[in-house]
Amino acid sequence: MFWKRAGTNSATEPSEISGAISANGHAEPSEAADPIATANGSSPSRIDAILTDVYDRVRPISDGALADYIPELAKVSPESFGIAIATTQGKVHKIGDADTEFTIQSTSKALTYCMALELCGRQEVLGRVGVEPSGDPFNAIEFSPLTRRPYNPMVNGGAIAVSGLLRDTLGADEAFERLLERFSQAAGRKLRLNEDVYRSESQTGHRNRAIAHLLLSAGALQEPVEPALDLYFRQCSIMVTATDLAFMAATIANLGVNPLTGEHVFDIDAVRDTQSVMFSCGMYDYSGGWTYEVGIPAKSGVGGGILGVVNRQIGIGTYSPRLDRTGNSTRGIESFKMLSNVLGLHAFDLTNTGSAFVNSFFAEPKADSP
Ligand code: DON
């Protein structure tokens, strides 16, 4: 089996990082120009020192509030806070409550979208849900007036349409089994459903039922509605940790292959499409601000988790359950902002240097040999 994520590195002693950060706020690149590559697990690496610094700076932030519109969600400790980074070489660096479990919630939407693309193909998925940012709250009861489809798969309307597609293709129970297995493969350990949260979601999910019926009327969901909703409620109620989110993100970053287990989890084309939508729509009505300030594809959930993908390099998972008005973790956002700044992770940052592949098209033609 593929559950073998044991014996990975954990964060080491707190240490000073003065000198590691340059005047522009970035960490100075190591010889290998890869700040993560210096980690060897034997002594506090530069990345562990950076993680410790970010953690210490962000921990005092107590803005925001626990989600309580689903009663079970309000039962977590508001103080929990953890950060994990997994590399595409399979190393993990973590700090704080990085192994505390919480429900995955909307972070699941990125993974189910990836599955639907793979199972049903791009055209069929695009027929049910678009790829445009909505600029509206995640639970808005609205569709694009142009297409009469939900704006994107990262808001509730789009995610329920995706659950409907998975249900139509696999049947509700089989779809959940496959989904749980796929999420587990991406995390590198066997995940489980939180029955109490699932019941709470289902009992209080009236707004999602309204959205599902709107989907039905627009032809973006097939009858019967309830099993598709049930699949959505169950996918949101899977327990994960920040470390799990980091490995899920690293699996996406590693072109769909879990870097620790070597398991091929997601199709490469689906991974590309999913990251694109995460980049423009993954943080609800803060998506534009996030892409501007943090600049990496990401997905959040009201359980307090955020998953961020730095393509071909690292996956980042954060957990802190106090949320801002958009439903995103306040400490999670601050942690990502600092990590992006210090490590130069923004897609358009100066560390994003040229590609040999692109350069090869611009090379001067070689003179014909005599
Ligand atoms: O649809 C719901 O209400 C939740 N179970 C999932 C929402 C979620 O995580 C959206 N978040 N930011």
Side-chain angles (χ1 to χ4, degrees):
M1 280 306 278
F2 46 79
W3 327 121
K4 49 182 171 189
R5 209 188 58 206
T8 47
N9 301 339
S10 62
T12 47
E13 300 286 294
S15 58
E16 287 296 316
I17 58 164
S18 48
I21 312 280
S22 70
N24 66 5
H26 287 82
E28 296 292 359
S30 69
E31 328 68 65
D34 176 359
I36 311 295
T38 56
N40 59 18
S42 55
S43 61
S45 64
R46 298 180 74 207
I47 189 64
D48 291 320
I50 288 168
L51 264 182
T52 302
D53 187 63
V54 169
Y55 180 82
D56 289 345
R57 288 178 198 231
V58 171
R59 194 167 46 161
I61 297 172
S62 60
D63 299 344
L66 299 182
D68 59 2
Y69 72 102
I70 296 166
E72 278 300 310
L73 289 183
K75 294 187 179 169
V76 298
S77 162
E79 288 308 326
S80 291
F81 178 36
I83 310 174
I85 299 182
T87 72
T88 49
Q89 287 77 42
K91 281 181 188 282
V92 64
H93 299 262
K94 51 189 170 181
I95 189 159
D97 303 314
D99 292 318
T100 297
E101 285 195 319
F102 56 94
T103 48
I104 189 168
Q105 295 296 336
S106 286
T107 314
S108 63
K109 291 169 180 168
L111 306 184
T112 51
Y113 184 58
C114 202
M115 280 181 71
L117 284 167
E118 203 175 312
L119 279 169
C120 309
R122 209 186 206 195
Q123 285 320 311
E124 194 172 343
V125 176
L126 283 172
R128 298 260 185 122
V129 53
V131 291
E132 292 299 333
S134 71
D136 287 316
F138 66 86
N139 57 1
I141 306 177
E142 60 162 11
F143 292 160
S144 158
L146 213 59
T147 62
R148 283 182 37 85
R149 293 288 177 268
Y151 279 97
N152 67 72
M154 304 294 148
V155 291
N156 289 13
I160 295 168
V162 166
S163 301
L165 261 177
L166 294 177
R167 183 276 318 264
D168 295 349
T169 314
L170 300 167
D173 288 334
E174 168 82 7
F176 181 69
E177 288 312 313
R178 294 268 285 269
L179 180 156
L180 184 61
E181 177 165 40
R182 201 71 84 85
F183 284 23
S184 299
Q185 288 173 320
R189 73 173 185 110
K190 192 163 176 42
L191 303 178
R192 66 180 176 91
L193 177 74
N194 183 322
E195 295 281 351
D196 293 335
V197 173
Y198 160 56
R199 262 192 300 279
S200 199
E201 295 259 354
S202 184
Q203 282 161 5
T204 59
H206 309 304
R207 205 178 167 91
N208 284 327
R209 288 194 171 83
I211 292 171
H213 282 276
L214 193 62
L215 287 167
L216 188 64
S217 78
L221 186 66
Q222 307 294 313
E223 297 257 35
V225 165
E226 205 52 40
L229 274 167
D230 189 67
L231 181 59
Y232 173 73
F233 294 140
R234 282 194 277 174
Q235 81 181 49
C236 289
S237 308
I238 292 171
M239 298 298 277
V240 290
T241 65
T243 307
D244 294 328
L245 294 184
F247 271 104
M248 289 168 161
T251 297
I252 294 173
N254 197 36
L255 308 178
V257 176
N258 182 308
L260 198 62
T261 64
E263 189 124 17
H264 194 123
V265 185
F266 297 117
D267 186 76
I268 190 168
D269 293 333
V271 158
R272 196 194 81 143
D273 289 349
T274 301
Q275 284 199 72
S276 306
V277 181
M278 288 167 72
F279 199 52
S280 55
C281 312
M283 301 295 285
Y284 308 115
D285 36 337
Y286 173 57
S287 294
W290 171 275
T291 301
Y292 188 81
E293 295 189 85
V294 179
I296 68 175
K299 185 72 202 84
S300 60
V302 292
I306 303 179
L307 166 167
V309 180
V310 183
N311 203 32
R312 312 296 296 269
Q313 297 186 74
I314 56 175
I316 305 175
T318 59
Y319 171 54
S320 176
R322 286 201 201 94
L323 310 177
D324 67 11
R325 54 154 203 87
T326 63
N328 295 311
S329 165
T330 48
R331 283 173 171 165
I333 287 176
E334 288 312 311
S335 304
F336 268 93
K337 278 184 189 168
M338 284 187 195
L339 286 171
S340 175
N341 186 41
V342 171
L343 298 176
L345 304 179
H346 194 293
F348 307 117
D349 217 327
L350 58 91
T351 49
N352 195 353
T353 52
S355 133
F357 179 71
V358 173
N359 286 341
S360 69
F361 292 96
F362 294 89
E364 291 298 325
K366 287 201 179 82
D368 286 342
S369 42

